Amino acid sequence: MAKTLMLINLVTILFLLIFPLLAVSLEDEEIEGEYYVLDSVPANHSARRSSRYLITSVIKKIKKGTSCDAKTNPNVCNGVSANNGTSLLYCCKKHCRNVLGDRNNCGACGYKCRFGERCCGGVCTNVLANRTNCGKCSKKCPRGVKCDYGYCGYA
């Protein structure tokens, strides 16, 4: 009976220590929204150029994970800025990826962030202990408050 109680206490303590780490790693900025809204219409856009109104009123969207195969959809995301400069799209393994926020393509295609890190502005950042990126990118802790395990003032 005493061993069972000790085992339950040990499992509870491990869960309380590991859960904040898992919660931070399970969040994914790429899940927010289904489309990238381009900052400008690319030069190869297929809209007719006979009307200035049509050109300025077109809002070009690219669905996240769009195929960028050279045969079927060339140059769809070749260094394209989107979402008011917060996304930069590149073709990584035949799919459009945001190299400013994708943990598997951070800063460049194929550059993966480690466990506990997120891609903040194209740089892998430890969000478990960073006051200016606590738990997620751009979440700042108040002055004098530490970031522990991805939470401001955890202790």
Side-chain angles (χ1 to χ4, degrees), residues 30 35-38 60-62 64 82-83 87 89 98:
E30 290 292 312
Y35 291 91
Y36 295 109
V37 178
L38 301 184
K60 181 77 172 168
K61 292 183 193 178
I62 295 178
K64 291 187 178 184
N83 299 337
S87 300
L89 307 180
N98 172 19

Side-chain angles (χ1 to χ4, degrees), residues 10 16 20 24-25 28 38 41 44 47 50 54 57 68 84 91 102 104 107 116 118 133 139 143-144 152:
L10 180 63
L16 291 174
V24 168
S25 68
D28 194 354
L38 301 184
V41 179
N44 63 351
S50 59
L54 285 176
S57 66
C68 52
N84 296 320
C91 187
D102 185 350
N104 293 316
R118 296 193 72 164
N133 299 290
K139 181 183 174 195
R143 191 174 185 180
C152 295

Side-chain angles (χ1 to χ4, degrees), residues 26-52:
L26 291 177
E27 288 181 12
D28 194 354
E29 292 157 306
E30 290 292 312
I31 293 173
E32 296 173 13
E34 293 184 28
Y35 291 91
Y36 295 109
V37 178
L38 301 184
D39 293 343
S40 62
V41 179
N44 63 351
H45 188 281
S46 61
R48 293 184 60 161
R49 303 202 186 289
S50 59
S51 168
R52 196 172 357 153

Side-chain angles (χ1 to χ4, degrees), residues 79-146:
V80 178
S81 178
N83 299 337
N84 296 320
T86 60
S87 300
L88 184 61
L89 307 180
Y90 277 97
C91 187
C92 301
K93 292 188 177 179
K94 297 186 179 184
H95 293 284
C96 291
R97 300 292 181 218
N98 172 19
V99 297
L100 298 181
D102 185 350
R103 244 186 305 232
N104 293 316
N105 300 288
C106 189
C109 293
Y111 187 81
K112 293 183 179 187
C113 295
R114 290 186 231 142
F115 181 76
E117 292 182 334
R118 296 193 72 164
C119 185
C120 300
V123 177
C124 290
T125 305
N126 178 357
V127 294
L128 299 176
N130 187 313
R131 270 186 24 108
T132 56
N133 299 290
C134 189
K136 64 181 183 177
C137 299
S138 300
K139 181 183 174 195
K140 296 181 181 182
C141 293
R143 191 174 185 180
V145 178
K146 283 179 57 179

